[in-house]
Amino acid sequence: MTTAVRSMLDSYPADLGALDRDALAACIEACVSCSQTCTACADACLAEDTVAELTKCIRTDLDCADVCAATAAVLSRRTGYDATVTRAVLQACAAICKACADERDGHAEMHRNVPRRGRRRFRSRYRVLHIP
C-alpha cells in the first residue's frame, strides 16, 4: 500500500541514493503517529483527578510529541541532506521516546486509553534506517 509519505518521496525530483524509501516513509509515519499518541496521552493525563501527580508524565509526553514532530519534518526534507544532523535528530528522538515510554510505564494503570504502539514503532523504524 502506498501512503501519502511514500508518494511524496516517490515524487521527489532528485536521486535519494541508496536510502530505503520504504524504511524512510515508515520512520516518518511512526514519528507522526508517536507525536499524536503523546499529545493524546498528555491530554488524557490532564483529565485525570490526580493531574498534579502526573506533571512529569505530561511534560515528557509533550517533549516527546514535539521532538517526534520535528524529527518527521527533518526526515521529510531531502534537499541538502546532512547525515550528521539526521543521525543526531534520530538519536534524540529515540532517547525521548524511551524516556516517555519509561515514564508512561510508571503510570500504566492510568494509561490504558493510550497505546504504546507509536513509540515502539518509532524505535523499530529507527533501527531499520541504519543511519551511520
Side-chain angles (χ1 to χ4, degrees), residues 83 115-116:
R116 291 188 62 197

Side-chain angles (χ1 to χ4, degrees), residues 12 24 32 34 42-43 48 50 53 64 68-69 73 75 78 80 84 86:
Y12 186 73
L24 178 59
V32 171
C34 187
D43 187 61
E48 293 287 346
T50 58
E53 296 171 25
C64 190
C68 285
L75 292 176
R78 306 312 309 158
T84 303
T86 300

Side-chain angles (χ1 to χ4, degrees), residues 74-122:
V74 169
L75 292 176
S76 296
R77 292 189 285 269
R78 306 312 309 158
T79 304
Y81 171 76
D82 184 335
T84 303
V85 171
T86 300
R87 184 182 324 105
V89 170
L90 284 167
Q91 289 170 341
C93 195
I96 189 62
C97 283
K98 181 183 181 323
C100 192
D102 292 347
E103 177 62 27
R104 186 181 174 279
D105 287 347
H107 305 285
E109 71 284 351
M110 293 183 185
H111 296 279
R112 291 186 193 119
N113 58 329
V114 180
R116 291 188 62 197
R117 285 189 314 252
R119 285 172 270 242
R120 280 198 311 263
R121 190 177 318 131
F122 171 77

Side-chain angles (χ1 to χ4, degrees), residues 49-80:
D49 292 336
T50 58
V51 69
E53 296 171 25
L54 297 169
T55 303
K56 183 176 180 191
C57 188
I58 295 165
R59 169 59 190 262
T60 306
D61 274 331
L62 294 175
D63 287 349
C64 190
D66 290 344
V67 172
C68 285
T71 301
V74 169
L75 292 176
S76 296
R77 292 189 285 269
R78 306 312 309 158
T79 304

Side-chain angles (χ1 to χ4, degrees), residues 8-17 21 78-80:
M8 290 302 296
L9 290 173
D10 287 344
S11 69
Y12 186 73
D15 181 24
L16 292 178
R21 289 176 189 228
R78 306 312 309 158
T79 304

Side-chain angles (χ1 to χ4, degrees), residues 5-6 10 19 33-34 39 46 48 61 69 73 94-95 108 110 125:
V5 173
R6 180 58 199 254
D10 287 344
L19 187 63
S33 175
C34 187
T39 299
L46 288 169
E48 293 287 346
D61 274 331
M110 293 183 185
R125 297 305 178 201

